[in-house]
Amino acid sequence: MTKRYTSLSLALGLVLAGLAVSATAADKPSANGAFVQLADHYFDDFYFPNQPSAATSAGLHQYDGKLEDYSRKGVQDTVKALKGWEAKFAAIDAATLGETERGDLELVLANIRGRLLMLEQVRWWETNADNYSSGITGSAFTLMARKFASSDERLKALVAREKAMPHVLVEARKNLKNPPKIYTEIALEQLPGLEDFFAKDVPSAFADVTDTGLKDEFAKTNGAVIQSLKDYEQWLRNDLLPRSHGSFPIGADAFRKKLAYDEMVDTPLDKLVAIDMEDMRANQREFARVARELDPKKTPEQVLADLGADHPDRAHLLDTFRGTFAKLLDFIQSHHIVTIPSQVQPILEETPPFMRATTFASMDTPGPFEKVAKEAYFNVTLPEPSWSKQQTDEFMAQFSYPVINNVAVHEAYPGHYVQFLWMHDIHDRVRQLLGSSSNAEGWAHYSEQMMLDEGLAQAMYPDDVTQQKKLKLGQLQDALLRNARFIVGIKMHTGQMSFDQAVDFFVKEGYQSHAVGVVEAKRGTSDPTYLYYTLGKLQILKLRQDVMARQGKAFNLQQFHDDFMKQGFAPIKIVRRAMLHDDSPTL
C-alpha cells in the first residue's frame, strides 16, 4: 500500500511535546496526519527491523536475509526502544483524533505494552526453550512457504538467516534460567521434528536451485543448523531438563494485563470464569439433549465415543476436508450469510512439523503486503505414520466427519479464510498489522454456532435427521473444547489448577479424549489467554444482539457480518465503537 506520510511536522511536534491541542473538526485532520506519520515511523524504523521474520510474513522482503536478535542485550535494547515509542504515542491526546485513528492509537499502545509485559514481567525468553528452536525454524519456513521470489533468491536469504541460527541456540543456553519442566519437555518433543524439517523439507523446497556454488553454501549452513539443533537437544536433555524446576503460571496480575493489552478486556477474572461456566453448562445440557435424541440408551460419553469412531482414515483426511468447501460456499451464498470477496479457495496441506505438537488445524494466510505469493494454506495435522493403531485412533477421534465440517467452517468458510479475504479492502496500515485473537478466533468460533443456527445441518442433510444431530454434536464438542480452554487458561496461570487437573478438565468437562487433553493442556502452559475463542464469540453475539435492538426490523444478518468484516481484526471494543458509536460493555 502507499504509505500515508504527511508534511505536518509542526502538528507532529506539538503532539509529541504533549501540548494541548484543541479537538475541533479543523484540527483533527492535522492530528490524524501526525499520528499516521508517527505510526509509519514506528513500523518502518523499529517494528519490522526488530522482527525481520514477521516482515517476511507480512510480505515485506527487504529483511529476508536477517534474523531476530535473541541475545540478552537484544532483549534489553528492544525494551529500551519500546519504552521510547510508548512515550511518543502516549503523548498524543486521543481526543484530538478521529474515531478510526483513536482506535489505531489504542492498538499501537496495547501492542507495545503487551510486548513489554512479555519481555519484562513474564520473561519467556528466560524460561521457554522452544521459543528458540521453533523460532528459528519458523524463520526458515517463512522463506520456503511461499514462492514470492525465485528459488535462488529465497535460498540466498535463507543461507544468510541460517548463518545466524547456531548463534541463537548459543544465546539460548545463556538466557534460559530454571524453566518449568513442561516447557523443556515440549521443546524436546518438538526437536526431532525440527531436525527432520531442516534435513528433509528445507532441501526439498529448494531442489530446483541450479547455482552449484549456492547449493554448496546451503549444504554447509543447513548442516550446521541441523548439528546445532542436535547439540541443543542434547543440552536440553542432559543439562537443562534436570534443573528445570520453575513454575509456568504467569500469575493473576500478568494475566489481567495480558488480557487488557491483547484483547482490550478488563472484566475481572472471577466474573470471566462465571460467564464461561454458564456458557459451558448450557452447551453440556444441549449436548445431553441431542445425544438422548440420537440414542436414549447411551450416555453422552458413549454417544461421543461413537461420534469419534466415525472418521476417515489418515490417507483421506485432507480430501475429506477439501470436500466440505463446495457445500459451505453454496450455503453461505444461498442463505446470505456474508459477502465472500473471492472465489479462490485455500490450499489444503499437512501442518508443518514444528507446529504439530500443539495444533490440530490452522489457516496460514499471506501477509497484507505480499504482492506475489498470495496463496492461503489450510493446515491439518495428521497422525504420525509410526504411531500405534491405538494412538492413531485416539488422535483421529477429533476428526470425526461432523467435527471435520465444523473445523472447515472455523478455518475457511466463513471463518478465518473469509475474514482474510476481507482484509484486502482495508487500507489502514495499523489495522493491517495489529489486531486481536478475540476478534479473529472469536469470529471463527462464532461462525460455527451461527452457521448451524441459520440451518446448515438441514441444508447439508435434508433427508437425514441423524446426520443433522451429529453435526450439532460436533459443533458442541468443539464449543466445549473452547469452554475448557477458557477455564484452564485462567486457573492454570493463577495457580488454581495443576497441569494434570487441566488434562482431566478437558476430558471430563470439555468432552475430549485424553490425548487431546494432553495437547491442549500443553498449549495452555505457554498460551495463557487462549480463552479468546469463547471470549470473542460471546462478545460478537452480544454485539449482534445490541445492533439488532437498535436497528429493529431493519436488521440484516449479512449486512451485520459485512460491517464486522470491515473493521479488520481490531478488538471487539473498537469494533463496537465503530458499529454502535459508543463505548458500551462488550460482555
Side-chain angles (χ1 to χ4, degrees), residues 46-75:
F46 172 73
Y47 186 89
F48 287 121
N50 186 256
Q51 302 175 103
S53 300
T56 300
S57 296
L60 300 174
H61 297 296
Q62 60 266 45
Y63 307 102
D64 287 348
K66 299 182 181 300
L67 193 65
E68 286 74 12
D69 184 352
Y70 286 82
S71 70
R72 180 174 294 272
K73 183 179 184 303
V75 171

PDB file of all heavy atoms in Angstrom, residues 46-75:
ATOM      1  N   PHE A  46      11.327   0.621  13.491  1.00  0.00           N
ATOM      2  CA  PHE A  46      11.525  -0.275  14.628  1.00  0.00           C
ATOM      3  C   PHE A  46      10.831  -1.624  14.471  1.00  0.00           C
ATOM      4  O   PHE A  46      11.469  -2.672  14.552  1.00  0.00           O
ATOM      5  CB  PHE A  46      11.042   0.383  15.924  1.00  0.00           C
ATOM      6  CG  PHE A  46      11.042  -0.560  17.097  1.00  0.00           C
ATOM      7  CD1 PHE A  46      12.237  -0.951  17.686  1.00  0.00           C
ATOM      8  CD2 PHE A  46       9.854  -1.087  17.591  1.00  0.00           C
ATOM      9  CE1 PHE A  46      12.247  -1.851  18.745  1.00  0.00           C
ATOM     10  CE2 PHE A  46       9.852  -1.979  18.651  1.00  0.00           C
ATOM     11  CZ  PHE A  46      11.060  -2.356  19.222  1.00  0.00           C
ATOM     12  N   TYR A  47       9.537  -1.615  14.252  1.00  0.00           N
ATOM     13  CA  TYR A  47       8.739  -2.838  14.294  1.00  0.00           C
ATOM     14  C   TYR A  47       9.289  -3.918  13.372  1.00  0.00           C
ATOM     15  O   TYR A  47       9.573  -5.040  13.814  1.00  0.00           O
ATOM     16  CB  TYR A  47       7.296  -2.504  13.930  1.00  0.00           C
ATOM     17  CG  TYR A  47       6.298  -3.631  14.058  1.00  0.00           C
ATOM     18  CD1 TYR A  47       5.632  -3.858  15.259  1.00  0.00           C
ATOM     19  CD2 TYR A  47       5.997  -4.448  12.970  1.00  0.00           C
ATOM     20  CE1 TYR A  47       4.692  -4.867  15.377  1.00  0.00           C
ATOM     21  CE2 TYR A  47       5.065  -5.469  13.084  1.00  0.00           C
ATOM     22  CZ  TYR A  47       4.417  -5.674  14.280  1.00  0.00           C
ATOM     23  OH  TYR A  47       3.485  -6.696  14.390  1.00  0.00           O
ATOM     24  N   PHE A  48       9.465  -3.610  12.101  1.00  0.00           N
ATOM     25  CA  PHE A  48       9.952  -4.619  11.153  1.00  0.00           C
ATOM     26  C   PHE A  48      11.459  -4.857  11.247  1.00  0.00           C
ATOM     27  O   PHE A  48      11.900  -6.004  11.206  1.00  0.00           O
ATOM     28  CB  PHE A  48       9.528  -4.259   9.735  1.00  0.00           C
ATOM     29  CG  PHE A  48       8.064  -4.486   9.489  1.00  0.00           C
ATOM     30  CD1 PHE A  48       7.245  -3.441   9.095  1.00  0.00           C
ATOM     31  CD2 PHE A  48       7.501  -5.735   9.682  1.00  0.00           C
ATOM     32  CE1 PHE A  48       5.884  -3.643   8.893  1.00  0.00           C
ATOM     33  CE2 PHE A  48       6.139  -5.950   9.475  1.00  0.00           C
ATOM     34  CZ  PHE A  48       5.331  -4.899   9.075  1.00  0.00           C
ATOM     35  N   PRO A  49      12.301  -3.832  11.379  1.00  0.00           N
ATOM     36  CA  PRO A  49      13.728  -4.110  11.571  1.00  0.00           C
ATOM     37  C   PRO A  49      14.005  -4.971  12.802  1.00  0.00           C
ATOM     38  O   PRO A  49      14.938  -5.778  12.805  1.00  0.00           O
ATOM     39  CB  PRO A  49      14.337  -2.709  11.729  1.00  0.00           C
ATOM     40  CG  PRO A  49      13.414  -1.810  10.977  1.00  0.00           C
ATOM     41  CD  PRO A  49      12.046  -2.377  11.232  1.00  0.00           C
ATOM     42  N   ASN A  50      13.196  -4.825  13.828  1.00  0.00           N
ATOM     43  CA  ASN A  50      13.355  -5.599  15.052  1.00  0.00           C
ATOM     44  C   ASN A  50      12.804  -7.022  14.920  1.00  0.00           C
ATOM     45  O   ASN A  50      13.190  -7.910  15.667  1.00  0.00           O
ATOM     46  CB  ASN A  50      12.640  -4.876  16.207  1.00  0.00           C
ATOM     47  CG  ASN A  50      12.880  -5.531  17.555  1.00  0.00           C
ATOM     48  OD1 ASN A  50      12.010  -6.223  18.081  1.00  0.00           O
ATOM     49  ND2 ASN A  50      14.055  -5.309  18.128  1.00  0.00           N
ATOM     50  N   GLN A  51      11.912  -7.233  13.942  1.00  0.00           N
ATOM     51  CA  GLN A  51      11.265  -8.537  13.745  1.00  0.00           C
ATOM     52  C   GLN A  51      11.296  -8.913  12.255  1.00  0.00           C
ATOM     53  O   GLN A  51      10.264  -8.930  11.586  1.00  0.00           O
ATOM     54  CB  GLN A  51       9.818  -8.488  14.232  1.00  0.00           C
ATOM     55  CG  GLN A  51       9.679  -8.106  15.702  1.00  0.00           C
ATOM     56  CD  GLN A  51       8.226  -7.953  16.118  1.00  0.00           C
ATOM     57  OE1 GLN A  51       7.645  -8.823  16.758  1.00  0.00           O
ATOM     58  NE2 GLN A  51       7.629  -6.832  15.742  1.00  0.00           N
ATOM     59  N   PRO A  52      12.480  -9.220  11.724  1.00  0.00           N
ATOM     60  CA  PRO A  52      12.594  -9.479  10.286  1.00  0.00           C
ATOM     61  C   PRO A  52      11.772 -10.669   9.797  1.00  0.00           C
ATOM     62  O   PRO A  52      11.290 -10.649   8.662  1.00  0.00           O
ATOM     63  CB  PRO A  52      14.093  -9.721  10.090  1.00  0.00           C
ATOM     64  CG  PRO A  52      14.635 -10.011  11.444  1.00  0.00           C
ATOM     65  CD  PRO A  52      13.788  -9.259  12.403  1.00  0.00           C
ATOM     66  N   SER A  53      11.594 -11.686  10.625  1.00  0.00           N
ATOM     67  CA  SER A  53      10.773 -12.826  10.202  1.00  0.00           C
ATOM     68  C   SER A  53       9.314 -12.415  10.061  1.00  0.00           C
ATOM     69  O   SER A  53       8.610 -12.884   9.148  1.00  0.00           O
ATOM     70  CB  SER A  53      10.904 -13.987  11.191  1.00  0.00           C
ATOM     71  OG  SER A  53      12.242 -14.422  11.288  1.00  0.00           O
ATOM     72  N   ALA A  54       8.848 -11.538  10.953  1.00  0.00           N
ATOM     73  CA  ALA A  54       7.490 -11.014  10.841  1.00  0.00           C
ATOM     74  C   ALA A  54       7.346 -10.170   9.583  1.00  0.00           C
ATOM     75  O   ALA A  54       6.291 -10.168   8.943  1.00  0.00           O
ATOM     76  CB  ALA A  54       7.137 -10.192  12.078  1.00  0.00           C
ATOM     77  N   ALA A  55       8.406  -9.460   9.223  1.00  0.00           N
ATOM     78  CA  ALA A  55       8.375  -8.660   7.992  1.00  0.00           C
ATOM     79  C   ALA A  55       8.202  -9.571   6.777  1.00  0.00           C
ATOM     80  O   ALA A  55       7.417  -9.281   5.870  1.00  0.00           O
ATOM     81  CB  ALA A  55       9.650  -7.836   7.866  1.00  0.00           C
ATOM     82  N   THR A  56       8.937 -10.684   6.755  1.00  0.00           N
ATOM     83  CA  THR A  56       8.791 -11.641   5.654  1.00  0.00           C
ATOM     84  C   THR A  56       7.365 -12.146   5.587  1.00  0.00           C
ATOM     85  O   THR A  56       6.764 -12.207   4.510  1.00  0.00           O
ATOM     86  CB  THR A  56       9.762 -12.823   5.842  1.00  0.00           C
ATOM     87  OG1 THR A  56      11.107 -12.335   5.865  1.00  0.00           O
ATOM     88  CG2 THR A  56       9.616 -13.822   4.694  1.00  0.00           C
ATOM     89  N   SER A  57       6.804 -12.504   6.727  1.00  0.00           N
ATOM     90  CA  SER A  57       5.424 -12.994   6.758  1.00  0.00           C
ATOM     91  C   SER A  57       4.436 -11.940   6.298  1.00  0.00           C
ATOM     92  O   SER A  57       3.426 -12.254   5.672  1.00  0.00           O
ATOM     93  CB  SER A  57       5.059 -13.445   8.173  1.00  0.00           C
ATOM     94  OG  SER A  57       5.843 -14.550   8.576  1.00  0.00           O
ATOM     95  N   ALA A  58       4.739 -10.678   6.602  1.00  0.00           N
ATOM     96  CA  ALA A  58       3.846  -9.589   6.201  1.00  0.00           C
ATOM     97  C   ALA A  58       3.949  -9.266   4.715  1.00  0.00           C
ATOM     98  O   ALA A  58       3.111  -8.540   4.185  1.00  0.00           O
ATOM     99  CB  ALA A  58       4.151  -8.338   7.023  1.00  0.00           C
ATOM    100  N   GLY A  59       4.969  -9.799   4.050  1.00  0.00           N
ATOM    101  CA  GLY A  59       5.150  -9.537   2.633  1.00  0.00           C
ATOM    102  C   GLY A  59       6.127  -8.428   2.331  1.00  0.00           C
ATOM    103  O   GLY A  59       6.198  -7.935   1.207  1.00  0.00           O
ATOM    104  N   LEU A  60       6.924  -8.025   3.334  1.00  0.00           N
ATOM    105  CA  LEU A  60       7.974  -7.021   3.151  1.00  0.00           C
ATOM    106  C   LEU A  60       9.312  -7.753   3.130  1.00  0.00           C
ATOM    107  O   LEU A  60       9.746  -8.283   4.150  1.00  0.00           O
ATOM    108  CB  LEU A  60       7.932  -5.987   4.276  1.00  0.00           C
ATOM    109  CG  LEU A  60       6.620  -5.201   4.399  1.00  0.00           C
ATOM    110  CD1 LEU A  60       6.639  -4.323   5.639  1.00  0.00           C
ATOM    111  CD2 LEU A  60       6.374  -4.359   3.152  1.00  0.00           C
ATOM    112  N   HIS A  61       9.983  -7.758   2.000  1.00  0.00           N
ATOM    113  CA  HIS A  61      11.090  -8.693   1.812  1.00  0.00           C
ATOM    114  C   HIS A  61      12.478  -8.068   1.872  1.00  0.00           C
ATOM    115  O   HIS A  61      13.475  -8.721   1.575  1.00  0.00           O
ATOM    116  CB  HIS A  61      10.887  -9.451   0.498  1.00  0.00           C
ATOM    117  CG  HIS A  61       9.641 -10.283   0.503  1.00  0.00           C
ATOM    118  ND1 HIS A  61       9.465 -11.348   1.359  1.00  0.00           N
ATOM    119  CD2 HIS A  61       8.484 -10.172  -0.207  1.00  0.00           C
ATOM    120  CE1 HIS A  61       8.277 -11.874   1.162  1.00  0.00           C
ATOM    121  NE2 HIS A  61       7.652 -11.177   0.219  1.00  0.00           N
ATOM    122  N   GLN A  62      12.568  -6.806   2.311  1.00  0.00           N
ATOM    123  CA  GLN A  62      13.890  -6.196   2.443  1.00  0.00           C
ATOM    124  C   GLN A  62      14.658  -6.739   3.650  1.00  0.00           C
ATOM    125  O   GLN A  62      15.850  -6.485   3.808  1.00  0.00           O
ATOM    126  CB  GLN A  62      13.786  -4.668   2.520  1.00  0.00           C
ATOM    127  CG  GLN A  62      12.976  -4.140   3.690  1.00  0.00           C
ATOM    128  CD  GLN A  62      11.528  -3.880   3.325  1.00  0.00           C
ATOM    129  OE1 GLN A  62      10.903  -4.713   2.670  1.00  0.00           O
ATOM    130  NE2 GLN A  62      10.992  -2.733   3.743  1.00  0.00           N
ATOM    131  N   TYR A  63      13.953  -7.501   4.525  1.00  0.00           N
ATOM    132  CA  TYR A  63      14.605  -8.051   5.723  1.00  0.00           C
ATOM    133  C   TYR A  63      14.780  -9.571   5.640  1.00  0.00           C
ATOM    134  O   TYR A  63      15.089 -10.216   6.638  1.00  0.00           O
ATOM    135  CB  TYR A  63      13.781  -7.715   6.962  1.00  0.00           C
ATOM    136  CG  TYR A  63      13.462  -6.251   7.110  1.00  0.00           C
ATOM    137  CD1 TYR A  63      12.211  -5.749   6.773  1.00  0.00           C
ATOM    138  CD2 TYR A  63      14.422  -5.358   7.591  1.00  0.00           C
ATOM    139  CE1 TYR A  63      11.911  -4.406   6.906  1.00  0.00           C
ATOM    140  CE2 TYR A  63      14.132  -4.004   7.730  1.00  0.00           C
ATOM    141  CZ  TYR A  63      12.881  -3.535   7.378  1.00  0.00           C
ATOM    142  OH  TYR A  63      12.585  -2.202   7.513  1.00  0.00           O
ATOM    143  N   ASP A  64      14.604 -10.147   4.452  1.00  0.00           N
ATOM    144  CA  ASP A  64      14.586 -11.604   4.325  1.00  0.00           C
ATOM    145  C   ASP A  64      15.892 -12.272   4.737  1.00  0.00           C
ATOM    146  O   ASP A  64      15.900 -13.431   5.146  1.00  0.00           O
ATOM    147  CB  ASP A  64      14.242 -12.013   2.890  1.00  0.00           C
ATOM    148  CG  ASP A  64      12.769 -11.784   2.556  1.00  0.00           C
ATOM    149  OD1 ASP A  64      11.985 -11.533   3.489  1.00  0.00           O
ATOM    150  OD2 ASP A  64      12.411 -11.863   1.366  1.00  0.00           O
ATOM    151  N   GLY A  65      17.007 -11.571   4.630  1.00  0.00           N
ATOM    152  CA  GLY A  65      18.291 -12.166   4.975  1.00  0.00           C
ATOM    153  C   GLY A  65      18.698 -11.963   6.421  1.00  0.00           C
ATOM    154  O   GLY A  65      19.804 -12.363   6.823  1.00  0.00           O
ATOM    155  N   LYS A  66      17.817 -11.354   7.205  1.00  0.00           N
ATOM    156  CA  LYS A  66      18.155 -11.053   8.599  1.00  0.00           C
ATOM    157  C   LYS A  66      17.369 -11.953   9.554  1.00  0.00           C
ATOM    158  O   LYS A  66      16.336 -12.517   9.204  1.00  0.00           O
ATOM    159  CB  LYS A  66      17.878  -9.577   8.910  1.00  0.00           C
ATOM    160  CG  LYS A  66      18.703  -8.612   8.065  1.00  0.00           C
ATOM    161  CD  LYS A  66      18.440  -7.168   8.444  1.00  0.00           C
ATOM    162  CE  LYS A  66      19.248  -6.214   7.583  1.00  0.00           C
ATOM    163  NZ  LYS A  66      20.712  -6.443   7.711  1.00  0.00           N
ATOM    164  N   LEU A  67      17.877 -12.052  10.780  1.00  0.00           N
ATOM    165  CA  LEU A  67      17.241 -12.862  11.814  1.00  0.00           C
ATOM    166  C   LEU A  67      17.128 -12.043  13.093  1.00  0.00           C
ATOM    167  O   LEU A  67      17.958 -11.158  13.354  1.00  0.00           O
ATOM    168  CB  LEU A  67      18.072 -14.126  12.073  1.00  0.00           C
ATOM    169  CG  LEU A  67      17.430 -15.240  12.899  1.00  0.00           C
ATOM    170  CD1 LEU A  67      16.228 -15.839  12.175  1.00  0.00           C
ATOM    171  CD2 LEU A  67      18.453 -16.342  13.189  1.00  0.00           C
ATOM    172  N   GLU A  68      16.121 -12.337  13.897  1.00  0.00           N
ATOM    173  CA  GLU A  68      15.918 -11.629  15.152  1.00  0.00           C
ATOM    174  C   GLU A  68      17.136 -11.787  16.067  1.00  0.00           C
ATOM    175  O   GLU A  68      17.846 -12.805  16.024  1.00  0.00           O
ATOM    176  CB  GLU A  68      14.684 -12.177  15.882  1.00  0.00           C
ATOM    177  CG  GLU A  68      13.371 -11.753  15.277  1.00  0.00           C
ATOM    178  CD  GLU A  68      13.002 -12.439  13.978  1.00  0.00           C
ATOM    179  OE1 GLU A  68      13.658 -13.450  13.608  1.00  0.00           O
ATOM    180  OE2 GLU A  68      12.091 -11.984  13.296  1.00  0.00           O
ATOM    181  N   ASP A  69      17.354 -10.785  16.896  1.00  0.00           N
ATOM    182  CA  ASP A  69      18.423 -10.826  17.891  1.00  0.00           C
ATOM    183  C   ASP A  69      17.852 -11.431  19.170  1.00  0.00           C
ATOM    184  O   ASP A  69      17.080 -10.800  19.882  1.00  0.00           O
ATOM    185  CB  ASP A  69      18.955  -9.415  18.156  1.00  0.00           C
ATOM    186  CG  ASP A  69      20.147  -9.401  19.108  1.00  0.00           C
ATOM    187  OD1 ASP A  69      20.472 -10.454  19.691  1.00  0.00           O
ATOM    188  OD2 ASP A  69      20.746  -8.322  19.277  1.00  0.00           O
ATOM    189  N   TYR A  70      18.231 -12.665  19.462  1.00  0.00           N
ATOM    190  CA  TYR A  70      17.701 -13.387  20.619  1.00  0.00           C
ATOM    191  C   TYR A  70      18.553 -13.188  21.873  1.00  0.00           C
ATOM    192  O   TYR A  70      18.242 -13.742  22.919  1.00  0.00           O
ATOM    193  CB  TYR A  70      17.631 -14.883  20.330  1.00  0.00           C
ATOM    194  CG  TYR A  70      16.519 -15.318  19.394  1.00  0.00           C
ATOM    195  CD1 TYR A  70      16.653 -15.226  18.007  1.00  0.00           C
ATOM    196  CD2 TYR A  70      15.337 -15.857  19.900  1.00  0.00           C
ATOM    197  CE1 TYR A  70      15.659 -15.656  17.149  1.00  0.00           C
ATOM    198  CE2 TYR A  70      14.326 -16.282  19.057  1.00  0.00           C
ATOM    199  CZ  TYR A  70      14.490 -16.187  17.686  1.00  0.00           C
ATOM    200  OH  TYR A  70      13.489 -16.610  16.847  1.00  0.00           O
ATOM    201  N   SER A  71      19.615 -12.436  21.783  1.00  0.00           N
ATOM    202  CA  SER A  71      20.532 -12.295  22.909  1.00  0.00           C
ATOM    203  C   SER A  71      19.908 -11.472  24.034  1.00  0.00           C
ATOM    204  O   SER A  71      18.940 -10.733  23.824  1.00  0.00           O
ATOM    205  CB  SER A  71      21.832 -11.623  22.462  1.00  0.00           C
ATOM    206  OG  SER A  71      21.601 -10.264  22.148  1.00  0.00           O
ATOM    207  N   ARG A  72      20.493 -11.576  25.210  1.00  0.00           N
ATOM    208  CA  ARG A  72      20.029 -10.774  26.344  1.00  0.00           C
ATOM    209  C   ARG A  72      20.146  -9.286  26.019  1.00  0.00           C
ATOM    210  O   ARG A  72      19.253  -8.504  26.334  1.00  0.00           O
ATOM    211  CB  ARG A  72      20.841 -11.126  27.596  1.00  0.00           C
ATOM    212  CG  ARG A  72      20.440 -10.343  28.853  1.00  0.00           C
ATOM    213  CD  ARG A  72      21.190 -10.872  30.065  1.00  0.00           C
ATOM    214  NE  ARG A  72      20.784 -12.228  30.369  1.00  0.00           N
ATOM    215  CZ  ARG A  72      19.750 -12.551  31.159  1.00  0.00           C
ATOM    216  NH1 ARG A  72      19.041 -11.582  31.727  1.00  0.00           N
ATOM    217  NH2 ARG A  72      19.442 -13.808  31.388  1.00  0.00           N
ATOM    218  N   LYS A  73      21.250  -8.891  25.391  1.00  0.00           N
ATOM    219  CA  LYS A  73      21.414  -7.498  25.009  1.00  0.00           C
ATOM    220  C   LYS A  73      20.339  -7.088  24.012  1.00  0.00           C
ATOM    221  O   LYS A  73      19.804  -5.969  24.065  1.00  0.00           O
ATOM    222  CB  LYS A  73      22.795  -7.248  24.411  1.00  0.00           C
ATOM    223  CG  LYS A  73      23.044  -5.768  24.065  1.00  0.00           C
ATOM    224  CD  LYS A  73      24.423  -5.544  23.490  1.00  0.00           C
ATOM    225  CE  LYS A  73      24.686  -4.058  23.247  1.00  0.00           C
ATOM    226  NZ  LYS A  73      23.677  -3.447  22.343  1.00  0.00           N
ATOM    227  N   GLY A  74      20.019  -8.010  23.094  1.00  0.00           N
ATOM    228  CA  GLY A  74      18.964  -7.711  22.137  1.00  0.00           C
ATOM    229  C   GLY A  74      17.630  -7.466  22.823  1.00  0.00           C
ATOM    230  O   GLY A  74      16.878  -6.560  22.442  1.00  0.00           O
ATOM    231  N   VAL A  75      17.340  -8.269  23.837  1.00  0.00           N
ATOM    232  CA  VAL A  75      16.110  -8.077  24.610  1.00  0.00           C
ATOM    233  C   VAL A  75      16.137  -6.729  25.324  1.00  0.00           C
ATOM    234  O   VAL A  75      15.152  -5.969  25.304  1.00  0.00           O
ATOM    235  CB  VAL A  75      15.929  -9.224  25.629  1.00  0.00           C
ATOM    236  CG1 VAL A  75      14.778  -8.914  26.582  1.00  0.00           C
ATOM    237  CG2 VAL A  75      15.684 -10.545  24.916  1.00  0.00           C
TER     238      VAL A  75
END
